[in-house]
């Protein structure tokens, strides 16, 4: 089968299509014929070598964490799906390899009929991340939540998941994305200098929780929240601990504990919640762009601009 991998650190051009043996579903796993799979911004940092001192990499490194497709193999102990079912989900974080013709999923849920393959293929990672962080922040009805970097793949999903919990959401983005954020149900704000004052004007009663998807503004975000314990970041900002802010990640246990802290438990329960919300029309997965599997380097190039509105997806 075809799979995207790299065998050395470098620019997007080090990515290439390799012919590799197809994986098989182990106990508690399923294998899918992939229809679409997501590009993870975190993997662009790994591929470039930026994270080499944080996440050890064994070459060849196969990319891809979330995917959607048709079940074609079911492992021992799996009873909730069968061959031919359409699902979306995530690979084991220690294995990855979802940017391929076939992928083994460790977590999954039924693909909502309301979603295209592209939407389903790019959903699981951001749904899990959003659920994990909102759970940690205990976001619920009546809360006011600030999502920093709300127009990206993770931010757009976080906004909708917070709204589904009954929260009021303020989202930061460039001005060109403000109408887009309003369409999702968020009150938009521009990031950058003066952020604290702008947010206080929008939320005179204060902000209950801050979900940082962008990085680079932790002092302002702590000031807005009034307590670093009410701020969680998913950006690769290694100054988080110095600000008293939790950096939430799902990297394999033991890989990064001494540098950015232990991984949080994966919020895989969020996938089933997402299916329900999608079928109710309350969760959409904005797609920034789709590329054929063979154009993975171009997809990584777009991701590295940090201006993609929504998720970048590879179609198989």
């Amino acid at each position: 089968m075809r799979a995207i991998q790299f065998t050395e650190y470098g620019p997007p051009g080090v990515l290439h299509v390799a012919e590799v043996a197809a994986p098989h579903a182990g106990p508690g796993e399923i294998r899918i014929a992939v229809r679409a799979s997501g590009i993870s911004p975190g993997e662009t940092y790994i591929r470039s070598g930026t994270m080499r001192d944080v996440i050890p990499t064994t070459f060849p490194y196969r990319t891809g964490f979330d995917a959607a497709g048709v079940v074609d193999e079911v492992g021992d102990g799996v009873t909730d799906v069968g061959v031919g079912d359409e699902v979306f989900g995530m690979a084991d974080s220690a294995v990855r390899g979802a940017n391929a013709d076939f992928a083994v999923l460790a977590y999954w849920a039924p693909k909502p009929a309301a979603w295209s393959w592209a939407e389903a293929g790019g959903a699981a990672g951001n749904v899990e991340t959003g659920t994990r962080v909102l759970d940690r922040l205990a976001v619920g009805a009546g809360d006011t939540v600030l999502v920093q970097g709300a127009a990206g793949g993770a931010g757009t999903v976080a906004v909708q998941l917070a709204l589904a919990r009954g929260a009021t959401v303020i989202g930061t983005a460039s001005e060109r994305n403000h109408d887009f954020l309003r369409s999702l149900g968020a009150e938009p704000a521009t990031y950058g200098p003066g952020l604290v004052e702008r947010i206080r004007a929008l939320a005179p009663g204060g902000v209950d929780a801050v979900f940082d998807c962008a990085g680079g503004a932790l002092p302002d975000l702590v000031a807005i929240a009034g307590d670093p314990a009410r701020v969680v970041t998913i950006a690769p900002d290694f100054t988080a601990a110095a600000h008293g802010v939790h950096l939430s990640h799902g990297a394999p246990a033991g890989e990064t504990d001494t540098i950015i802290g232990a991984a949080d438990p994966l919020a895989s329960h969020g996938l089933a919640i997402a299916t329900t919300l999608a079928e109710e029309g309350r969760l959409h997965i904005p797609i920034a762009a789709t590329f054929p599997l063979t154009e993975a380097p171009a997809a990584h190039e777009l991701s590295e601009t940090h201006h993609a509105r929504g998720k970048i997806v590879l179609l198989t």
Side-chain angles (χ1 to χ4, degrees):
M1 71 167 191
R2 300 174 303 164
I4 301 301
Q5 65 179 37
F6 59 93
T7 56
E8 61 180 330
Y9 295 122
V14 301
L15 293 169
H16 60 275
V17 177
E19 286 292 334
V20 302
H24 292 284
E29 299 175 331
I30 62 173
R31 187 177 78 174
I32 62 170
V34 176
R35 297 291 185 266
S37 59
I39 294 295
S40 165
E43 285 192 325
T44 68
Y45 294 111
I46 295 172
R47 187 218 71 238
S48 68
T50 302
M51 304 283 282
R52 71 178 71 195
D53 294 329
V54 180
I55 299 178
T57 302
T58 301
F59 298 126
Y61 182 102
R62 294 182 190 169
T63 64
F65 181 58
D66 45 11
V70 179
V71 178
D72 81 330
E73 192 174 276
V74 175
D76 290 343
V78 174
T79 59
D80 61 335
V81 294
V83 172
D85 290 349
E86 297 181 349
V87 300
F88 75 106
M90 303 178 294
D92 186 293
S93 59
V95 179
R96 299 181 177 91
N99 297 148
D101 289 322
F102 294 90
V104 170
L105 301 184
Y107 311 96
W108 60 86
K111 173 189 171 293
W115 284 352
S116 67
W117 280 118
E119 291 172 296
N126 289 333
V127 165
E128 185 281 322
T129 298
T131 304
R132 172 176 13 110
V133 173
L134 294 174
D135 281 356
R136 184 180 180 92
L137 290 167
V139 170
D143 288 338
T144 297
V145 179
L146 171 64
V147 178
Q148 169 81 339
T156 55
V157 172
V159 165
Q160 296 174 83
L161 292 178
L163 288 168
R165 293 177 180 222
T168 296
V169 180
I170 300 170
T172 67
S174 61
E175 192 167 351
R176 68 185 178 87
N177 285 321
H178 282 195
D179 284 345
F180 170 65
L181 291 185
R182 290 188 185 97
S183 75
L184 295 178
E187 178 68 30
T190 304
Y191 50 73
L195 178 65
V196 175
E197 292 71 25
R198 287 192 295 277
I199 300 304
R200 286 176 177 166
L202 289 172
V207 168
D208 299 292
V210 177
F211 186 160
D212 175 31
C213 301
L218 289 181
D220 282 351
L221 300 182
V222 170
I224 289 166
D227 181 350
R230 286 160 41 188
V231 181
V232 172
T233 185
I234 61 169
D237 188 337
F238 306 140
T239 69
H243 295 288
V245 171
H246 179 69
L247 195 166
S248 184
H249 67 91
E255 276 195 359
T256 61
D257 295 3
T258 61
I259 299 175
I260 59 175
D264 291 335
L266 292 181
S268 56
H269 60 280
L271 301 184
I273 295 171
T275 296
T276 299
L277 291 175
E279 296 292 16
E280 294 172 352
R282 295 199 289 156
L283 180 60
H284 306 278
I285 309 299
I287 301 299
T290 62
F291 295 85
L293 186 68
T294 53
E295 294 183 16
H300 272 232
E301 287 177 6
L302 177 58
S303 180
E304 289 181 335
T305 68
H306 303 294
H307 293 303
R309 191 169 77 182
K311 186 75 172 187
I312 301 169
V313 175
L314 298 178
L315 300 179
T316 306

